[in-house]
Amino acid sequence: MKEMNSCPPNHSERICRAPSASGVFIYIDNVARDKMITLWKANELPKNDPLSKSALPEGFPFLVVESDEGIEIQEHVLLYLHEKFARRKGRRSWKKNTAEAYAYDLRDWFAFLEVCENEIEENSKVGKAWDAATEDDYINYREALQDAVSPHTRQYLSHSTIRRRQSTVENFYKEAEKRDWYVGTFLKTSEFKKGRIRPADRDAMVHLRAGRDTTRELSPYAEEVGETGVVHPLSTAEWRGVQRELGPLPSEPEENPRPSRDRLACELSLTTGIRVDEAASLTVRHILKLNTDYLLLSEEDREYGYLKLYITKTKRLKPRNVLVPCYLIPELVRYIDGERTAAVLAGKAYSTKHGKKYKEPDALFVNHAYPLQHAGNAIQPASLSHAFRQACKAAGVMKTVQEIHVVEDDDGNETEVSVLRRAAAHCYHDLRHTFAVTMYFNEVDNRKPEPWLPIKELLGHASVETTRDIYLKVVTIEEKARAGKVSYRAKQRVGGNHD
């Protein structure tokens, strides 16, 4: 996104008075702008003007929405900034640079919403009102910030800049909920990690790469590569360890039975390539329909075959088919009849006891029977991601990561502190990567001429180039490793190493 600068000397300056419904009288000195959502600054009124005491301080920032019909002040942003800086700090003590940074952060968020698809509107209309934004939009925004480039430095945004932008958006919605501007809860998850969650690409020519201007508006649909910034599939040994910690399949007997939900969800993603939110959006009807087809199969197909599943709640709302291994279908039916039913009954009992209404969700995966207050509700993607990370830790599949903590002093100055800690070596999205890499080598082993094409279709990528760009490096490394093993074994046979 391009930053808005002050008017150049030859820019025809327009000055006007713009009263707002909030009662704050604004004297506007508009700045150079080339977008619909722009940042303007207030000019100070002459002291002898009767409205000067009610006007904003000179240079106070606010947002304006421009259209063919005219200009409109984004009043909720103005009220938020005025409360935070002008009213609390006073007209003489407010911090101009900090207020301007907050205004730019909110302008970027509002501009981001302008390119979000509005799934509620007919024909997938692009653009969302700020009070229609959801937690999913915020997650996409956080992901997009990881790939955003500063128009000033031509480098990726720093950890502290991303962290500040996230905090600004979250604090704006907290104030909106507090003052009844926003109905509902913007963030269902209590705490989102702020700042850089994966390393920036080290390509110094990032702003020129692939012939596109990366300083333009962020796309909410940049293809994800997990939290590490690279494709990181699980090894066979890692998956076996994590698999044990996730719990048994419903058909696997245990002395002390554990829930199967997390194992089933993760195994589905590993064998089909679906994302965590796609796994969470699966319904009971999906599985019961698959089971009807499964019962018509031969014994051999039931053991080794696959059935097509049509999913519609995808990243770009573009429906696609995935292939579900038949061995999982009876396991999922057992989960529905057993563990899921128990959780739903617990949720009903708790709601009845406390005089609340309970409606059984359509979702396949639901919260466990305990704790009772959440029992039987549709699972959130974050819960599945958390369960996978915990399983990695329990299995000892760990790594050392460096975190940058930002400490802010009383004057608002920020200092970055580096901290090392142990963390799970994989995130849930790595299951999708594991599926893609495994399928690639299956296609190659079967001598398929275009191994990327079926992977592209099953992952739901927009083009085969996207698939190839994401996975080419990791499969090339693996192919070299395979070639090395073959060469070493050949040398053993030819060279007479008989040990």
Side-chain angles (χ1 to χ4, degrees), residues 106-167:
L106 289 173
R107 189 211 58 185
D108 286 348
W109 165 247
F110 276 68
F112 175 83
L113 292 177
E114 285 297 310
V115 297
C116 285
E117 290 185 3
N118 193 337
E119 61 273 13
I120 298 177
E121 297 287 341
E122 294 182 2
N123 301 321
S124 297
K125 180 181 176 182
V126 175
K128 276 191 176 183
W130 72 270
D131 54 355
T134 65
E135 183 180 273
D136 287 342
D137 296 318
Y138 177 70
I139 293 172
N140 285 333
Y141 177 64
R142 181 186 67 172
E143 287 298 316
L145 287 176
Q146 308 301 309
D147 300 315
V149 177
S150 168
H152 300 304
T153 66
R154 297 287 176 172
Q155 299 296 320
Y156 284 103
L157 298 181
S158 67
H159 170 84
S160 58
T161 299
I162 296 175
R163 179 179 178 272
R164 189 199 68 226
R165 290 191 182 188
Q166 286 184 251
S167 297

